[in-house]
Each structure stands twice: as C-alpha cells, then as structure tokens.
Amino acid sequence: MIKTTIAGSLPKPRWLAEPERLWAPWQLEGEALIEGQRDAALRWLKIQDEAGIDIQSDGEQFRKHFVHGFLEEIEGIDWSRMTTMGIRDNRYDAQVPTVTSAVRRKKSVHGDGVKFLRPHATRELKFTLPGPMTICDTIADAHYGSRPEMAMAFAGLLNEEARELEALGVDVIQFDEPAFNAFMDQVPVWGVDCLHRAIEGLRCKTAVHICYGYGIQQNIDWKDSLGDEWRQYEQFFPALNESRIDQVSLECADSHVPLSVMSTLKDKEVLVGAINVATNEIETPEKVAATLRAAMEFVDPERLIACTNCGLAPLPVRVAEGKLMALGAGAEIIRKELAG
C-alpha cells in the first residue's frame, strides 16, 4: 500500500551531459557514451533503492529528451529541416524537426536500455514513452496535414515499442502527455483514442502522466498566469476514468489543483505528485506525508501511489537525490499511520 515511483526524468551527471539543462548534448561519444549512460542508470537505480522507491526507472539516462529520444530513431522525420514551433499551445517556441513522410520505426528504440536495466533493477521497473498528442506538439508536420492522423500513426509505433519493452520485463509502461493540459478539449475527442492504440495488447500496467511541465521559467510563468485554481484536469479526467489506462499521474505538490478532481478517477490508480520539481528546496518527509494525507480524502489508499510532480532533469543532482529520499520517507510515514 502507498507504493512510490517517479514521473520520469532524473538529472544526468555532469560527466554525461551538461547539467540542469533540457536537450543537453552528450559529453561522450561511441562506446564511452553507452558506458556512461549505463553507469548513470546504475547510480540512479541504487539511489532509488536507498530511497525506498518501489517502481523504479532509469530516469531517462539513455536519451537526451523524453520526446526526441524516441523520435531520433524514427524514419520519416527530417532532422535537417528544423522548424520554429509554438509548444504547448504557444507557451514557448522551440526548434523542432519536421515530419516529411509516413513515419516508421526502424528497430526497437529503447530495447537495449531495458535489456541492461532489467537484471539490475531490484524492484518493479517502469519505462516512460512520449504520448502521441505530446509528440505531435513537439514536432512539425509537413506530411499528414492533421494532428489526430499523425498522432495515431505515432501511436502505432509506440505500441510496437511498448510490446517489445513489455516482453523484455518492463512492469509499467507510462505515456507522458503534458500536452493534455494544453489541449483539454481534444483529449476526449482523439487523445484517449490514441492512447488506446498505444496500449493495444499490453498486459503490463499502463499509465499516463499529465503535469504542468518541467520547472523551467516558461512553465513557471504560465502557472503564475493560471490564477488561484488550476482546473485543467477536471475537463478530461472523466474521459480518462472511462479509458483502458490503469494509472493516471498528476501534479499535486505546491500546486493550485483542487484535490477534489481526483474523485473523478475513482476507477484508476492515482499517481499523486508529492514532490515539487520547480524548486531546489528539498521537501521534508512530513510535507510529503501531508500531501499524500490530503489526497487520501479523495483517493483510496489502495489506489494511491506517491510520485513526483514531473521529471527532475533540470535540477541539481544532489537536490534530486534529496527529493527522492523525502518521497520514500514521506510514504513510509503514511504506511505506518495506515498500519495503526
């Protein structure tokens, strides 16, 4: 009861990639890069063990970015044709590659990483993939002419990848969909359908992660503009509750999300974000426990999983380590309370 996990990314060590930066270039090449990625993944698995994190991941040590790390191995994308595009409904601009023909997966993108991780992970292993809608919000389209059509094409590729990762021993496959919080009205229209295509045939646990973004300034500024209550979730949580996804991950710590929105996920396991990723302040275990305690007013303890709000990649390594320790210790406080 009250398992713990992380939403996605963890900081890369300074010797592997430039610290505290998204899309940071690798500091190594060739075999040295592969060895460095493995060393970093092992280090984070050890830290998760020490912190008591039950559902573990590599923290995306094998990829530069949670979306582009998958797209780099997909045919039909022209990486020399970079387009300036507004991301998350024009919250900020980014230079992105362009889809110029039908997309196709050349081979397993993350299989080698999972083959390495599975024997070393001492607990359940989670692997995260970008969601179809978020992919389409992070890449330019010069072929499909329709975001739903392009998203469904990518959903098929994600399903191929997810099936292979499941066969290699992954216990939970999570699709990251921060774009759901930017295009709320489209989630019930085609966003959920694309998720269903992505999880088709899977027997492992499936999850969707929807947050308010990394702790970068553009996202912080956006959140400051949202007022005293952030009500995005309530527009599409009912559709997710009716979906075939097993778990829904949301931002909760230090947010203005009304906790009552979790009551609309009555048939799902809920990954409650109890760690703020937009500050270098390390939570106390008591603060984590307070967040989880408040969430239990709307989520049965049997369905609650303690999580981070989002990925921790832009934070200093030592800060991220401290936050993981606090997450594990805070969940343990609640377990003891529930045990009486």
Side-chain angles (χ1 to χ4, degrees), residues 203-280:
R203 296 177 300 278
C204 65
K205 288 275 188 180
T206 58
V208 60
H209 168 67
I210 313 111
C211 63
Y212 285 76
Y214 279 120
I216 58 177
Q217 194 59 48
Q218 295 96 325
N219 290 331
I220 293 171
D221 293 342
W222 174 62
K223 288 192 280 189
D224 286 343
S225 74
L226 296 179
D228 294 335
E229 283 195 327
W230 304 348
R231 308 204 70 95
Q232 283 75 14
Y233 287 140
E234 68 183 1
Q235 296 187 49
F236 55 83
F237 271 9
L240 287 179
N241 190 63
E242 295 176 4
S243 76
R244 296 193 292 274
I245 289 284
D246 298 313
Q247 302 175 343
V248 179
S249 168
L250 70 149
E251 182 161 328
C252 189
D254 296 331
S255 78
H256 296 293
V257 173
L259 299 188
S260 59
V261 302
M262 288 185 277
S263 63
T264 62
L265 297 172
K266 59 185 178 63
D267 300 317
K268 302 299 176 187
E269 292 181 314
V270 182
L271 279 64
V272 175
I275 294 291
N276 186 347
V277 303
T279 175
N280 285 353

Side-chain angles (χ1 to χ4, degrees), residues 46-306:
K46 181 176 185 295
I47 292 167
Q48 288 172 82
D49 273 336
E50 293 171 354
I53 304 302
D54 301 296
I55 307 167
Q56 303 177 346
S57 86
D58 72 314
E60 301 176 10
Q61 300 304 297
F62 292 95
R63 44 191 150 156
K64 289 181 184 178
H65 184 262
F66 80 105
V67 178
H68 288 187
F70 179 74
L71 298 182
E72 285 169 353
E73 298 299 327
I74 302 301
E75 290 183 341
I77 300 172
D78 187 346
W79 290 83
S80 66
R81 184 174 169 180
M82 301 300 285
T83 303
T84 301
M85 192 174 93
I87 305 295
R88 309 294 179 264
D89 199 20
N90 297 312
R91 194 182 312 164
Y92 57 94
D93 290 338
Q95 285 281 309
V96 300
T98 305
V99 174
T100 55
S101 63
V103 293
R104 188 175 74 87
R105 198 180 62 124
K106 295 178 286 188
K107 60 176 183 175
S108 176
V109 178
H110 300 300
D112 287 344
V114 169
K115 287 177 186 176
F116 175 79
L117 291 168
R118 182 64 275 180
H120 295 287
T122 60
R123 310 189 188 195
E124 291 182 75
L125 179 63
K126 175 164 78 172
F127 203 88
T128 63
L129 294 169
M133 182 182 283
T134 295
I135 286 178
C136 292
D137 192 46
T138 321
I139 191 167
D141 176 26
H143 174 73
Y144 287 97
S146 158
R147 272 199 176 186
E149 183 180 349
M150 184 165 73
M152 193 61 77
F154 276 111
L157 305 188
L158 290 166
N159 182 251
E160 293 173 8
E161 184 75 15
R163 286 177 184 240
E164 291 191 12
L165 300 185
E166 178 189 54
L168 292 172
V170 171
D171 301 290
V172 181
I173 293 180
Q174 174 181 296
F175 296 91
D176 295 330
E177 284 286 22
F180 277 16
N181 258 355
F183 306 100
M184 292 82 70
D185 60 329
Q186 296 302 300
V187 177
V189 177
W190 56 270
V192 171
D193 287 344
C194 288
L195 278 182
H196 283 163
R197 177 68 184 92
I199 68 171
E200 191 174 291
L202 294 179
R203 296 177 300 278
C204 65
K205 288 275 188 180
T206 58
V208 60
H209 168 67
I210 313 111
C211 63
Y212 285 76
Y214 279 120
I216 58 177
Q217 194 59 48
Q218 295 96 325
N219 290 331
I220 293 171
D221 293 342
W222 174 62
K223 288 192 280 189
D224 286 343
S225 74
L226 296 179
D228 294 335
E229 283 195 327
W230 304 348
R231 308 204 70 95
Q232 283 75 14
Y233 287 140
E234 68 183 1
Q235 296 187 49
F236 55 83
F237 271 9
L240 287 179
N241 190 63
E242 295 176 4
S243 76
R244 296 193 292 274
I245 289 284
D246 298 313
Q247 302 175 343
V248 179
S249 168
L250 70 149
E251 182 161 328
C252 189
D254 296 331
S255 78
H256 296 293
V257 173
L259 299 188
S260 59
V261 302
M262 288 185 277
S263 63
T264 62
L265 297 172
K266 59 185 178 63
D267 300 317
K268 302 299 176 187
E269 292 181 314
V270 182
L271 279 64
V272 175
I275 294 291
N276 186 347
V277 303
T279 175
N280 285 353
E281 179 183 350
I282 297 173
E283 290 81 356
T284 64
E286 291 75 17
K287 182 176 181 180
V288 171
T291 300
L292 300 177
R293 204 176 289 120
M296 284 193 296
E297 183 178 346
F298 304 99
V299 182
D300 301 331
E302 295 80 8
R303 295 188 294 113
L304 192 152
I305 299 173

Side-chain angles (χ1 to χ4, degrees), residues 2-6 270-272 274 288 292 304-308 327 331:
I2 315 293
K3 289 184 177 180
T4 52
T5 191
I6 61 172
V270 182
L271 279 64
V272 175
V288 171
L292 300 177
L304 192 152
I305 299 173
C307 191
T308 57
L327 180 64

